[in-house]
Structures are given as structure tokens and as C-alpha cells.
Amino acid sequence: MSHGKTSYVCVPCRASYKQWHDPERERRCPRCAEPMIHAGSAFAAPRRRDVTAWRVLATLFDAGVGFHKSCCGGPGDRPRTPRETKEWLPQYKARQEQVARHRLREAARRG
């Protein structure tokens, strides 16, 4: 199965680049040479001048949120404002814990 390009993001530069995914290789920003974040193949970057959107993205990336496609129709809805982010993150973390518990149960069941 061939894998497509995925997004790598530099939050300080407010820049996103589509590149081939290689988990062994660290990506560095061509502008500032800092390590970039693997945002995922379903990531859509906001405009560079949209400072609020980039602030929200920084919060999401710090919380471990990714924009990866899944078997269930993509990454789902994401918050757009700091206020929405504050309300959304606890729900996201609860869903992630629920998924992790489910995976552990399935792994134990399979043996």
C-alpha cells in the first residue's frame, strides 16, 4: 500500500509543508530550522495572518491532537477559537482514554 504526503507544521513560522511521511526522519522548518510537527494528512493550514487560528493549533498540538485520516471519516470537527478549544479539549481527552481502554480490552481478549 502506498502512502501519500502528509503535513508538517512549524507553528512559530505559521507554515505548513506537505512531504512524504518517514517516521525515522526528523523534519526541520526551511525558514527557522526548528523541528516541525507531524500534523497529519487531513490537516488544512489556516492563513499565515490568522494569528488566532495558529494559537488554537499550537494548543491542540501541545495536547497531542493530530489531523490524521481514519477509517471513520477523517479527523472530525476541531475547535476554531480559544473559547471552543477550552471546551473541546476535555471531551477529546476523555474520548482518547475511552479508545485506549477499548484497545486494551481487545488486545487482552485476543490474547
Side-chain angles (χ1 to χ4, degrees), residues 35-103:
M36 292 194 299
I37 298 166
H38 178 218
S41 58
F43 177 74
R47 294 188 182 274
R48 187 169 284 131
R49 66 179 174 259
D50 190 349
V51 177
T52 302
W54 282 97
R55 211 174 285 140
V56 167
L57 282 174
T59 302
L60 295 177
F61 290 140
D62 287 344
V65 176
F67 296 81
H68 304 280
K69 291 180 182 175
S70 71
C71 63
C72 302
D77 292 332
R78 297 287 194 251
R80 302 277 185 224
T81 65
R83 183 177 172 179
E84 288 178 5
T85 304
K86 195 174 187 178
E87 297 167 357
W88 185 86
L89 273 178
Q91 297 168 3
Y92 171 79
K93 289 178 181 177
R95 281 192 311 269
Q96 293 302 100
E97 289 173 6
Q98 183 180 12
V99 167
R101 283 193 303 270
H102 175 73
R103 287 182 179 159

